[in-house]
Amino acid sequence: GNSVTQMEGPVTLSEEAFLTINCTYTATGYPSLFWYVQYPGEGLQLLLKATKADDKGSNKGFEATYRKETTSFHLEKGSVQVSDSAVYFCALSDYSGGGNKLTFGTGTQLKVEL
Amino acid sequence: GAVVSQHPSWVICKSGTSVKIECRSLDFQATTMFWYRQFPKQSLMLMATSNEGSKATYEQGVEKDKFLINHASLTLSTLTVTSAHPEDSSFYICSAPLGLAGYNEQFFGPGTRLTVL
């Protein structure tokens, strides 16, 4: 079956530091890949996505590249801010049988300090 | 963007009672909605796919008689936890995709915290 593995947290960084959150996946077909963010007290929000190999998703300074050869979709940001503190979920979408089923990683909590 | 709401945001109930959680798409129609369960510091686990006008599709290991899903309209899906027990305590989240294609964005509700005493 499909699975998503992402690095455990919490990840604690100083403001303006470089961020990498690793994500690897296992899928039988050609999934779309997503990063979702969950701010404290809020629902999950789509941060970025990539629908095919070598696509780069980007939003709010975050980016991730769909690497089919390494089955990875690592999230990066060059300079984090305190407001980026949240839980980040890597996910893939499986279209087998139709629909939008999402398989999530365990989430990585990011804490950014001044 | 599209908004999905859930009600209630939290509920505490006694063991043996039933609890209904509502999921609404506020500004778009959703023929499909998804129900997830999230344990502390763990991933979201898909429980079932709610289909408007037809029966829900449950994931393997999810008791359909325990978790009743009704998708009576294009903007409302409900999850009823029947005869709740402490092990059902969890964070329940719904989502709805905008559009039909698999790569469209899903919009998530803020979640419902269920505590069964």
Side-chain angles (χ1 to χ4, degrees), chain B residues 6 8-21 36-40 47 66-67 79-93 111-117:
Chain B
Q6 280 184 243
S9 56
W10 60 269
V11 57
I12 300 173
C13 69
K14 293 182 179 180
S15 186
T17 61
S18 294
V19 174
K20 180 184 286 187
I21 302 170
Y36 297 85
R37 185 171 176 177
Q38 184 180 26
F39 292 98
M47 299 174 64
K66 174 76 170 175
F67 299 99
L79 168 68
T80 301
V81 183
T82 62
S83 187
H85 292 283
E87 57 266 29
D88 298 324
S89 298
S90 192
F91 195 55
Y92 293 88
I93 301 172
T112 296
R113 174 75 61 192
L114 170 62
T115 301
V116 184
L117 302 176

Side-chain angles (χ1 to χ4, degrees), chain A:
Chain A
N2 298 332
S3 67
V4 176
T5 302
Q6 61 182 105
M7 59 190 290
E8 289 190 22
V11 173
T12 303
L13 296 174
S14 298
E15 200 169 43
E16 298 184 0
F18 184 86
L19 168 72
T20 299
I21 300 178
N22 291 334
C23 171
T24 58
Y25 67 91
T26 302
T28 52
Y30 300 94
S32 288
L33 301 174
F34 305 83
W35 276 100
Y36 282 85
V37 58
Q38 186 176 31
Y39 297 104
E42 299 183 17
L44 274 74
Q45 303 172 27
L46 179 65
L47 180 60
L48 54 83
K49 68 180 180 184
T51 57
K52 61 183 186 297
D54 299 325
D55 269 1
K56 177 185 284 188
S58 61
N59 185 27
K60 299 181 181 179
F62 291 90
E63 59 181 36
T65 302
Y66 190 145
R67 301 288 188 196
K68 188 172 181 293
E69 64 276 15
T70 54
T71 62
S72 65
F73 193 54
H74 304 320
L75 182 68
E76 297 182 336
K77 186 173 185 181
S79 176
V80 293
Q81 306 298 312
V82 173
S83 57
D84 293 326
S85 298
V87 180
Y88 292 82
F89 292 89
C90 185
L92 67 82
S93 184
D94 176 12
Y95 312 128
S96 61
N100 291 279
K101 287 188 178 182
L102 284 170
T103 300
F104 285 90
T106 53
T108 301
Q109 184 176 13
L110 170 65
K111 297 180 181 178
V112 181
E113 301 172 335
L114 290 172

Side-chain angles (χ1 to χ4, degrees), chain B residues 67-110:
Chain B
F67 299 99
L68 299 179
I69 291 173
N70 183 27
H71 196 146
S73 77
L74 288 171
T75 59
L76 173 64
S77 174
T78 60
L79 168 68
T80 301
V81 183
T82 62
S83 187
H85 292 283
E87 57 266 29
D88 298 324
S89 298
S90 192
F91 195 55
Y92 293 88
I93 301 172
C94 70
S95 73
L98 185 61
L100 297 177
Y103 46 79
N104 282 345
E105 181 177 351
Q106 284 201 36
F107 294 87
F108 286 79

